[in-house]
Amino acid sequence: MAKKMRAVQVAKAKGPLELVEREIPEPKSGWVRVKVEACGICHSDSLVKEGLWPGIQYPRIPGHEVIGVIDTVGPDVADWKPGQRVGVGWHASHCGHCVPGRRGDFFACQVNCSRPESRSMAVMPNTWSHRRKRSRLCRTI
């Protein structure tokens, strides 16, 4: 496997989108690594790009409607295996302690928003096109 990956990032608030090369990370405990086949961007990503999301850190890779294939699983991942096609949507986790989380606005968590943990994925049918799969992720997972 390649040791580098390409990604589009925003280096700072109100910065341009830029194509960069990064090291491929190893998944932590409870996480998987997904080789991305397609990724959508929606209005929420414009808030990230413009620096309007509270407490956000940069650089940041926008996009959260990901379709791909698991290529590696981290320690303590029992339900997923390499080769499975999955989708990862906007809401992956929340802390349960910040103000939005206590109000029930889990999507607006200020701590764990959109963490790609293994529990945040769904199996994607191989018969669907990448475009069809990706378009459903922002509103369904």
Side-chain angles (χ1 to χ4, degrees), residues 44-140:
S44 300
D45 295 300
S46 68
L47 301 176
V48 170
K49 184 183 179 311
E50 296 303 313
L52 301 174
W53 201 266
I56 195 160
Q57 296 177 348
Y58 293 91
R60 194 72 165 194
I61 299 173
H64 56 268
E65 301 158 354
V66 174
I67 298 295
V69 176
I70 296 173
D71 73 349
T72 304
V73 297
D76 302 318
V77 174
D79 299 328
W80 299 100
K81 62 184 181 232
Q84 286 183 293
R85 178 162 280 118
V86 295
V88 182
W90 170 251
H91 178 71
S93 184
H94 59 276
C95 71
H97 300 287
C98 65
V99 173
R102 289 194 311 268
R103 284 195 314 245
D105 295 330
F106 304 128
F107 72 93
C109 177
Q110 296 172 345
V111 179
N112 292 332
C113 183
S114 198
R115 288 174 49 195
E117 295 177 275
S118 61
R119 65 185 169 152
S120 69
M121 299 183 308
V123 173
M124 292 287 113
N126 288 328
T127 56
W128 286 9
S129 71
H130 299 322
R131 184 177 194 164
R132 180 177 178 193
K133 294 177 206 172
R134 185 201 72 235
S135 69
R136 298 178 186 284
L137 290 172
C138 187
R139 63 182 187 258
T140 58

